[in-house]
Amino acid sequence: MFAAQSSSAFHPSSGDRFPSRRDMLAQSGTGFGALALAALMDRESQGAESNSNKGFKALLGHRIATAKSILFLFMEGGPSHLDLFDKKTELDRLAGKSLPASFKPVITPMGEYNSPLLPTRKKFRQYGDSGTWVSDWLPHTAQCVDDLCILRGCWTNGINHSGGVCQMNTGVFTAGRPSLGAWVSYGLGTENDDLPSFVVIPDSPSDPVNGPRNWGSGFMSALYQGTRFQSGSDPIANLSLPKGMSEDRQRHKLSFLDELNRRHAASRPEQSELEARIASYELAFRMQAAAPAAVDLSQETAETQALYGIGDKQTDTFGKNCLLARRLIERGVRFVQLYHGTGSKWDAHANIDKNHTDMCGQSDKPIAGLLQDLKRRGLLDSTLVVWGGEFGRTPMSEKGDGRDHNATGFTMWLAGGGVKGGQVIGATDEVGLHAVEDRMHVHDIHATLLYLMGLDHLKLTYRYKGRPERPTLNEGEPCLKVLG
């Protein structure tokens, strides 16, 4: 990067009376000043192309971080903020009537503009010292409410699942850009050489909507993409050595493969997938020693497993994923994303009572157990836990007992990682349709998460085709209210 921006040397005879600061630094001390300039410029664009040549190691951020890792609990399909965290007395009062004209415009995929308003489906109660309102659908999470910073003013552009999930993961609702986890891995590197920096764990063998592009690296090097773990007893496929294969023999095979790959890559420097493939082979070899212990949940006590709901048919799958996430976080994995409801199962166009009873029943206890376990182990202070989906649900009914997609106002929450718990930031209008106070677009949300990780979303750049690309497309502001 420095070389690309270097200027011609200063020559008094050329007619210039004064050198630029860059020329002065480049020539002072027999050129050693250029080292300082290069370092300064490299820090200004933390994670730029020059960083990709340093090796995938831990890197410094732009500021002192309050969080070392992110654990993103993604509720795919769009949970209803109105029935979980955003109590609306006026919605109950107007139930059965059409949406008043003052609340329009309305944009929904199914066009349920004039359908009767559907009242909240569960009772709300106040919990904790903060007295925060939480639905009866989340009795376990409610006990942790003093650790939560609830963001009620979120909004997005994607009104369907594909666009909404893509934007919540990559900042835009069309394919092609790096995911948030890739930006974090790129900007901060890894603290564990034997495990991936970015891990994704769906709760089903099927892919979430959009599939791997949700955790892809876009135009960045493929080194920074997420690694998918499987849900179940064997999270990492092909982890064990093949039968009859010794470690020495495998090492020799990998060394030979590495030599062939590097010869091939030498004449194709523009194909980052080759470098990523080489690195993945090396990581896979190291993971065979380190990963079996990391994913072995039998090492946990019966009390800890019960805390996550493991052993209970309803909560077992997601409970295991949450416990696995904690084990990865404590081993230095930088970004872990859990998908609950893989395949948009939170999508309650009809019979929201049954849908959310099932979805909350599967996830509520494991999530509360995760928060409690992180806290008692001293990990919550450095782990930023994020909860949310791609959007919320409408106050208008659909099919009589369901709710449509609502991109204009919904709820997410943060916990740990320096965030002040027991507070609510932002608000939707009286019926929960539009975010109206402390509005946070997806770009603001991403900027906030990066800020807590010590990264400035405008300084975190990657040069692609000659232009500096940034995770929030030069938009968004971090919400400092989350720090209290």
Side-chain angles (χ1 to χ4, degrees):
M1 183 175 177
F2 170 69
Q5 299 189 34
S6 63
S7 59
S8 60
F10 169 66
H11 298 287
S13 59
S14 67
D16 293 329
R17 290 182 58 85
F18 302 103
S20 69
R21 285 177 293 178
R22 179 175 297 173
D23 293 331
M24 182 188 72
L25 281 169
Q27 295 198 43
S28 61
T30 318
F32 281 101
L35 297 177
L37 177 59
L40 287 170
M41 294 177 69
D42 186 63
R43 280 295 300 118
E44 182 68 15
S45 57
Q46 174 71 29
E49 281 182 322
S50 56
N51 260 346
S52 64
N53 298 322
K54 294 178 181 176
F56 200 32
K57 302 294 183 182
L59 301 169
L60 294 175
H62 303 107
R63 58 176 298 278
I64 296 176
T66 60
K68 291 173 59 179
S69 55
I70 291 178
L71 205 169
F72 199 143
L73 306 168
F74 197 98
M75 308 292 110
E76 190 192 346
S80 174
H81 57 297
L82 298 169
D83 301 298
L84 300 178
F85 292 105
D86 198 355
K87 174 179 167 57
K88 293 298 179 186
T89 303
E90 186 69 3
L91 177 60
D92 293 338
R93 189 183 73 81
L94 294 173
K97 300 179 180 179
S98 295
L99 182 72
S102 59
F103 290 99
K104 295 178 181 179
V106 182
I107 300 176
T108 62
M110 302 303 173
E112 302 287 345
Y113 309 135
N114 297 313
S115 298
L117 293 171
L118 186 69
T120 52
R121 311 310 297 159
K122 281 289 184 180
K123 291 183 179 179
F124 278 73
R125 306 176 196 274
Q126 289 179 288
Y127 291 89
D129 294 336
S130 59
T132 303
W133 294 94
V134 181
S135 160
D136 284 353
W137 256 325
L138 299 172
H140 297 284
T141 302
Q143 302 302 318
C144 305
V145 74
D146 285 336
D147 292 316
L148 307 186
C149 174
I150 299 175
L151 309 175
R152 287 187 182 156
C154 302
W155 68 284
T156 182
N157 304 109
I159 63 172
N160 57 32
H161 296 293
S162 179
V165 172
C166 190
Q167 183 162 49
M168 188 58 72
N169 279 284
T170 72
V172 297
F173 49 84
T174 55
R177 291 191 64 84
S179 60
L180 179 65
W183 279 108
V184 170
S185 295
Y186 172 64
L188 295 175
T190 182
E191 290 189 334
N192 189 322
D193 291 335
D194 300 326
L195 291 169
S197 175
F198 176 18
V199 171
V200 178
I201 313 174
D203 63 346
S204 166
S206 61
D207 276 336
V209 64
N210 304 324
R213 88 179 190 206
N214 293 330
W215 53 88
S217 56
F219 46 70
M220 286 184 186
S221 167
L223 283 169
Y224 306 109
Q225 65 189 354
T227 298
R228 175 173 174 161
F229 281 19
Q230 302 169 141
S231 184
S233 58
D234 188 20
I236 307 172
N238 305 312
L239 181 61
S240 302
L241 282 171
K243 191 173 182 178
M245 174 76 71
S246 69
E247 186 173 314
D248 285 345
R249 183 182 175 191
Q250 188 186 40
R251 178 72 269 176
H252 286 307
K253 289 182 68 175
L254 283 176
S255 296
F256 178 63
L257 186 61
D258 179 72
E259 181 182 350
L260 295 179
N261 282 334
R262 291 193 181 281
R263 286 181 185 176
H264 189 69
S267 59
R268 300 167 177 85
E270 73 285 354
Q271 295 185 16
S272 67
E273 291 82 1
L274 294 171
E275 188 66 31
R277 180 64 58 87
I278 294 170
S280 71
Y281 285 143
E282 291 296 324
L283 176 59
F285 181 76
R286 297 192 300 271
M287 283 175 64
Q288 288 183 328
V295 303
D296 184 5
L297 303 186
S298 67
Q299 297 181 10
E300 301 289 340
T301 65
E303 182 274 334
T304 296
Q305 295 191 43
L307 183 66
Y308 286 82
I310 296 173
D312 184 307
K313 183 178 180 180
Q314 185 179 38
T315 53
D316 185 76
T317 296
F318 197 60
K320 286 178 177 176
N321 290 353
C322 286
L323 180 52
L324 176 57
R326 190 223 77 203
R327 293 176 64 83
L328 294 174
I329 289 291
E330 68 186 348
R331 285 165 170 78
V333 175
R334 184 79 72 183
F335 197 110
V336 179
Q337 186 172 31
L338 303 185
Y339 278 83
H340 180 261
T342 302
S344 301
K345 292 186 176 67
W346 279 89
D347 193 24
H349 289 278
N351 200 354
I352 191 173
D353 290 359
K354 182 181 187 308
N355 176 279
H356 275 37
T357 295
D358 291 343
M359 294 295 98
C360 292
Q362 294 169 15
S363 62
D364 177 40
K365 185 173 183 178
I367 289 172
L370 172 66
L371 291 172
Q372 294 167 32
D373 201 19
L374 288 170
K375 190 171 184 179
R376 70 184 183 179
R377 293 172 182 270
L379 291 170
L380 190 59
D381 291 341
S382 60
T383 304
L384 177 60
V385 183
V386 186
W387 179 97
E390 62 267 41
F391 39 58
R393 315 302 301 187
T394 59
M396 301 83 73
S397 61
E398 183 181 352
K399 301 178 182 178
D401 56 3
R403 299 189 190 277
D404 204 351
H405 307 169
N406 183 8
T408 58
F410 61 97
T411 295
M412 299 182 70
W413 58 252
L414 311 177
V419 168
K420 181 184 178 183
Q423 64 170 329
V424 174
I425 298 173
T428 52
D429 57 38
E430 292 88 341
V431 297
L433 180 61
H434 298 294
V436 294
E437 294 179 13
D438 287 314
R439 302 175 75 243
M440 292 185 67
H441 184 265
V442 172
H443 292 148
D444 302 309
I445 295 167
H446 286 184
T448 302
L449 303 185
L450 292 169
Y451 181 89
L452 296 171
M453 291 290 286
L455 293 169
D456 185 321
H457 67 293
L458 295 179
K459 293 181 180 178
L460 181 60
T461 59
Y462 185 95
R463 290 196 171 273
Y464 177 62
K465 293 186 176 179
R467 61 175 285 176
E469 297 285 353
R470 297 178 175 86
T472 61
L473 290 85
N474 303 325
E475 298 178 4
E477 292 289 340
C479 176
L480 302 187
K481 288 185 178 181
V482 302
L483 296 172

